[in-house]
Each structure stands twice: as C-alpha cells, then as structure tokens.
Amino acid sequence: MQASTFSFRADEVFSEQTRAMASALGLKSSDYIRQAVSEKNAQLMAQHIAALSRELAVEHLQVNESLEGTLRDGLE
C-alpha cells in the first residue's frame, strides 16, 4: 500500500498539545493524528449509517401502514 501525505496548518498551541499528547501515549505525532482522524471517520460513518437506518425504518413503516388494510383483500 502506498502512503500519501496530508498537510494542514495548525497554530503553535495545537501543535504543542498534539505533540505532548502523542508523546504521553508513546506515539509519533503522525501516528496520533492518524488514529484520531480514523476514529473521527468511523464515528461519522456510524452516524451516517444510523441516519440512513432511521430513514429506511420510516419508509418501511409507511409501506407497512399502507398495506395494512389490504391484508384481508380477497380472503373473505
């Protein structure tokens, strides 16, 4: 797998805090940032999937309700 590089600007306070936190965990700053971004990506994906699931549930309920009155059609 070929790695690509991300670059972003951060103020000195953010940079120092990030380096300090990474160091406290025994990580390189790049590994710490990579882990944080991966966790944020997973969180956002889970939120997106949950939103889609709720939308699908609403649609499913609407279909079920629309068909509810037709269950006895032709059975009497």
Side-chain angles (χ1 to χ4, degrees):
M1 175 179 97
Q2 180 144 353
S4 60
T5 301
F6 279 94
S7 176
F8 63 96
R9 297 192 189 289
D11 62 35
E12 195 61 33
V13 172
F14 177 85
S15 298
E16 288 303 318
Q17 287 175 341
T18 301
R19 286 186 190 101
M21 295 301 289
S23 178
L25 295 171
L27 297 171
K28 296 178 186 177
S29 296
S30 59
D31 292 334
Y32 178 80
I33 293 167
R34 187 179 306 108
Q35 181 179 347
V37 171
S38 291
E39 289 174 8
K40 183 64 174 182
N41 287 348
Q43 177 189 29
L44 290 173
M45 183 58 73
Q47 290 172 355
H48 181 65
I49 289 170
L52 291 174
S53 180
R54 285 189 298 274
E55 288 177 27
L56 185 58
V58 168
E59 288 179 32
H60 187 251
L61 180 61
Q62 290 171 343
V63 168
N64 281 346
E65 288 174 349
S66 71
L67 295 175
E68 194 171 301
T70 64
L71 291 177
R72 292 192 195 111
D73 287 354
L75 296 177
E76 298 179 333

